[in-house]
Amino acid sequence: QMCIRDRYQRRVRGAQASKCFAWCGEWVHPLADTMRTRLLKTSRQRLVAALVLAALVALPMCYLMLRGAARSDRDTMRPKDFMAKYPGHHVERGGFLGIRSVFEPAAPPAADGITLTLHFTVDRLPQFEAICQSWGGPVSAAVLLRELPQDHLAVDALMRSSAAVREHASVHYMFANSSDGYPVNHLRNFAIEHMSCRTKWTFPLDADFVPGAGTDPRPGQGWVVHDQMLADLEAARTKVDDKTTVFLVPGFECDYFPCVHRTKPKLLEAVSGGATRPVLKRSFFLAHENVDYPQWYAASAPYSVRYDFFFEPYYAGLTEHYVEYNEGFSFYGHDKASHTYELMARGWGMAVLPHSFAVHGKHEDNWSAKPDRPAVYRRIAAHMREMFYKYKFWPELPSEHWFNKIFTDGDAEQAEFKKELVRFLWEQLSARTGPEITS
């Protein structure tokens, strides 16, 4: 009986549980469906709200981006679009596009004068103005433009504000192919080729030097360096009657800019006081040492100097016999020295002007790309070989003093560069059989 009662009770409890589950199912399933529907509906609402919010944020950002792009298009300009404003003035040199005579001088230069030729980027515009004010004669300037129209607007502003620049300067543009590098020899040739008037004399100079000339210890307001240097050149020409002679202009340097000493007596005062010194005296003095500065301090007449490898002085010469700068060295490394080397290979002479000079002022370096030194070595070797086969020229063996200077001048950055060049020079001169330099 107990067993029968237990089985009956289990059946009753099972039936009751089944009824309960059935009742719960009837109530829970609709509730779950309702909750599921509501949750899905809430998720959709949240998704829609998120999409709306994203759109509200994105649309202003897109507007600002499009507006910035439009402004950028207005603020920048391609060289060819800019060149369209100057029809008939377009030039191309060594892969660089340019515009000649963007600005012309108000005062036409005299044909028997000297044109000072310069090259620079727009960060050198203050130096350019200081040079024009001191020089007081014809200037032909090649400007490398990297950003248009901003760079042009900077030059235009200077032309409007500076009477000295407006009166004397002819300005030409060359457009950079990239943000790196500075094609210095392209720019030098460009400035000389497109001077507004082919004056008798040409004086290529870098835009960090301010020229000076004359012997008056108290120059007045009307002192014109151009006229004093022209007198110095013409007087030297009567004593050195050779059309293939360049007349050297000694270089000096100081620790500020502009460093203006308008006459030789003023310069000598600064040198004796230590404020000014021969250019590169504290670094690579071999580039200018052959000027013989002690002799120049006392000189009253032109004198000849010897050429040594690395010698790269500044000089003026007759425009009709102008020799182009080698554009294979247009970037950093041997760019000016290669020109002096070629003049010597052609048999030119060098004489130092007794009363003219140029002073370099301190500035930030604008070389934007480090040189590829092995490539520079190869170009120098190839250039030396070319000059030998073309003109049978090879430089004389320098003195022991010269070699000692190479290794002890303290210029660590160029140490390997100089050692490699000395090795080339020593090997070929020791052989005395003509260069067989492999590139």
Side-chain angles (χ1 to χ4, degrees):
Q1 290 178 351
M2 291 178 64
C3 289
I4 293 171
R5 187 172 62 245
D6 291 339
R7 285 199 297 271
Y8 175 76
Q9 289 177 350
R10 284 198 296 272
R11 287 177 183 173
V12 171
R13 286 196 295 272
Q16 290 175 346
S18 297
K19 289 181 180 179
C20 180
F21 284 135
W23 178 81
C24 288
E26 291 176 359
W27 182 81
V28 169
H29 283 301
L31 179 62
D33 291 339
T34 302
M35 291 179 66
R36 187 185 303 113
T37 302
R38 288 182 179 178
L39 286 172
L40 289 173
K41 188 174 181 181
T42 303
S43 298
R44 290 193 190 98
Q45 289 175 344
R46 288 177 179 174
L47 178 62
V48 171
L51 291 174
V52 171
L53 180 62
L56 291 174
V57 173
L59 286 175
M61 291 180 64
C62 291
Y63 170 75
L64 292 174
M65 290 173 63
L66 292 172
R67 184 177 179 183
R71 181 178 298 171
S72 177
D73 289 340
R74 289 196 303 269
D75 292 345
T76 59
M77 185 181 296
R78 294 181 303 173
K80 289 186 177 180
D81 295 334
F82 184 80
M83 291 171 69
K85 299 180 178 182
Y86 298 89
H89 290 239
H90 303 173
V91 293
E92 189 275 336
R93 185 171 193 98
F96 291 89
L97 297 176
I99 305 175
R100 60 175 177 82
S101 305
V102 178
F103 298 99
E104 284 289 276
D112 60 349
I114 314 167
T115 296
L116 179 68
T117 61
L118 304 170
H119 58 90
F120 53 90
T121 48
V122 295
D123 60 311
R124 296 290 192 269
L125 288 176
Q127 288 90 326
F128 177 45
E129 182 180 17
I131 291 169
C132 290
Q133 291 170 346
S134 178
W135 176 244
V139 176
S140 180
V143 186
L144 183 70
L145 269 60
R146 291 194 171 107
E147 295 184 2
L148 284 171
Q150 296 92 325
D151 288 356
H152 165 68
L153 295 175
V155 178
D156 182 67
L158 178 63
M159 297 297 297
R160 294 174 184 274
S161 63
S162 175
V165 176
R166 281 197 311 274
E167 183 177 359
H168 300 296
S170 174
V171 179
H172 324 282
Y173 288 165
M174 181 177 283
F175 301 104
N177 288 340
S178 68
S179 60
D180 292 334
Y182 182 77
V184 56
N185 281 353
H186 289 77
L187 291 162
R188 285 179 174 131
N189 291 331
F190 193 39
I192 295 171
E193 181 182 3
H194 297 291
M195 60 177 69
S196 61
C197 174
R198 301 289 288 182
T199 53
K200 180 179 179 179
W201 299 95
T202 299
F203 179 26
L205 194 63
D206 295 338
D208 307 309
F209 284 83
V210 178
T215 59
D216 193 333
R218 292 183 177 82
Q221 290 295 325
W223 190 266
V224 178
V225 171
H226 167 273
D227 297 347
Q228 298 299 318
M229 183 172 173
L230 180 60
D232 205 11
L233 272 170
E234 295 294 354
R237 180 75 188 283
T238 63
K239 299 176 181 179
V240 186
D241 189 14
D242 184 354
K243 293 183 179 179
T244 56
T245 292
V246 287
F247 293 92
L248 276 54
V249 179
F252 293 83
E253 65 183 8
C254 62
D255 296 324
Y256 56 91
F257 195 96
C259 187
V260 180
H261 306 298
R262 303 182 71 186
T263 67
K264 185 175 180 178
K266 291 291 186 183
L267 173 70
L268 294 180
E269 288 179 13
V271 171
S272 63
T276 303
R277 58 191 172 272
V279 67
L280 298 182
K281 184 177 181 179
R282 295 176 178 174
S283 54
F284 192 46
F285 193 44
L286 288 171
H288 296 271
E289 187 176 28
N290 280 20
V291 166
D292 193 352
Y293 284 87
Q295 181 176 352
W296 185 81
Y297 294 150
S300 58
Y303 59 93
S304 298
V305 294
R306 148 186 182 146
Y307 172 77
D308 278 337
F309 198 41
F310 289 130
F311 191 36
E312 51 174 17
Y314 292 95
Y315 39 73
L318 291 168
T319 303
E320 62 177 318
H321 296 290
Y322 156 67
V323 175
E324 287 192 344
Y325 286 81
N326 189 321
E327 293 177 0
F329 294 97
S330 196
F331 296 90
Y332 182 86
H334 212 63
D335 49 279
K336 190 154 58 69
S338 64
H339 191 256
T340 310
Y341 191 97
E342 182 166 350
L343 294 184
M344 297 304 102
R346 290 170 177 250
W348 284 49
M350 294 188 295
V352 183
L353 291 176
H355 305 306
S356 301
F357 57 91
V359 185
H360 179 273
K362 188 175 182 180
H363 62 83
E364 294 294 328
D365 189 6
N366 73 346
W367 293 102
S368 54
K370 291 293 183 182
D372 181 355
R373 294 195 184 281
V376 173
Y377 304 155
R378 290 192 293 270
R379 283 196 295 268
I380 293 173
H383 184 246
M384 294 171 74
R385 181 175 54 193
E386 177 190 357
M387 294 296 102
F388 178 82
Y389 289 131
K390 196 171 184 178
Y391 302 109
K392 303 303 177 186
F393 172 78
W394 198 253
E396 291 296 325
L397 185 66
S399 64
E400 181 181 349
H401 164 73
W402 188 91
F403 278 100
N404 290 337
K405 270 283 191 178
I406 283 291
F407 295 101
T408 62
D409 68 356
D411 189 349
E413 181 181 342
Q414 294 193 21
E416 294 304 317
F417 176 75
K418 292 177 291 187
K419 290 176 186 177
E420 186 71 11
L421 290 180
V422 170
R423 185 184 68 81
F424 280 139
L425 186 61
W426 180 265
E427 288 177 359
Q428 301 311 317
L429 287 175
S430 298
R432 294 289 182 178
T433 57
E436 295 292 341
I437 302 174
T438 59
S439 59

